[in-house]
């Protein structure tokens, strides 16, 4: 697949605990390009961490900021872009991802729960962490799969292994 002339070299999507931020940094280092994370962009714009945005302003405001951050990053950034776990749920974001190289970092329930721990700093995980992660995976996986041009399983793999797999797959195209 030929990627658009402008925009990110690759966009990483997937649930919390998939390793998007870590793998994005490894890919950017390998390719000698910049890295951008839309959750960090949202925090910079709001002047506070994501959990505080959820508490102070509510999820709808966070999602509004997130849609703006994704649109700006896709328009401005030409390196590796990591999207927040729920960003792909917005139809506007799905349209912006069409025709781009999008990698879904797929993670199973056990690995996702182990990686996010007790959900500290993850506002969508309040309560029973395992049940909530399962619900989010069940709800979002079809959308991740629909926007992805490449799916890479992360269970039992180090971030370095995941990045190497992505590089191998994308360099073949």
């Amino acid at each position: 697949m030929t990627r658009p002339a402008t925009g990110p070299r690759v966009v990483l999507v997937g649930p919390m605990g998939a390793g998007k931020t870590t793998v994005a940094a490894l890919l950017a280092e390998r390719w000698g390009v910049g890295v951008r994370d839309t959750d960090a962009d949202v925090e910079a714009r709001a002047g506070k961490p994501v959990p505080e945005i959820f508490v102070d302003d509510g999820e709808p405001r966070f999602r509004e900021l997130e849609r703006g951050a994704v649109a700006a990053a896709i328009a401005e950034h030409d390196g590796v872009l990591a999207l927040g776990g729920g960003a792909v749920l917005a139809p506007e974001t799905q349209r912006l991802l069409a025709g781009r190289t999008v990698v879904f970092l797929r993670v199973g329930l056990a690995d996702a729960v182990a990686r996010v721990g007790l959900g500290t700093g993850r506002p969508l995980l309040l309560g029973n962490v395992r049940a909530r992660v399962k619900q989010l995976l069940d709800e979002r996986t079809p959308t991740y799969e629909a926007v992805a041009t490449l799916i890479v399983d992360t269970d039992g793999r180090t971030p370095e292994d995941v990045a190497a797999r992505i590089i191998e797959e994308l360099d073949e195209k």
Side-chain angles (χ1 to χ4, degrees), residues 105-124:
L105 299 185
R106 183 166 46 200
V107 63
L109 179 60
D111 278 30
V113 170
R115 292 176 189 169
V116 300
L118 295 177
T120 305
R122 300 200 185 250
L124 291 179

Side-chain angles (χ1 to χ4, degrees), residues 38-58 62 65 120-123:
T38 57
D39 279 350
D41 290 352
V42 167
E43 290 181 342
R45 174 134 189 252
K48 54 187 160 184
V50 169
E52 286 184 29
I53 299 168
F54 269 77
V55 170
D56 297 346
D57 308 314
F62 171 76
L65 291 168
T120 305
R122 300 200 185 250

Side-chain angles (χ1 to χ4, degrees), residues 74-141:
I74 288 175
E76 302 163 2
H77 186 66
D78 63 359
V80 180
L81 177 62
L83 300 189
V88 299
L89 300 178
E92 310 93 297
T93 296
Q94 293 171 28
R95 285 190 292 278
L96 290 171
L97 294 175
R100 299 190 180 281
T101 302
V102 178
V103 178
F104 167 30
L105 299 185
R106 183 166 46 200
V107 63
L109 179 60
D111 278 30
V113 170
R115 292 176 189 169
V116 300
L118 295 177
T120 305
R122 300 200 185 250
L124 291 179
L125 293 186
L126 298 177
N128 182 332
V129 173
R130 185 177 177 83
R132 187 64 178 130
V133 169
K134 182 181 182 332
Q135 178 185 10
L136 290 171
L137 288 173
D138 291 347
E139 290 172 356
R140 296 176 177 181
T141 295

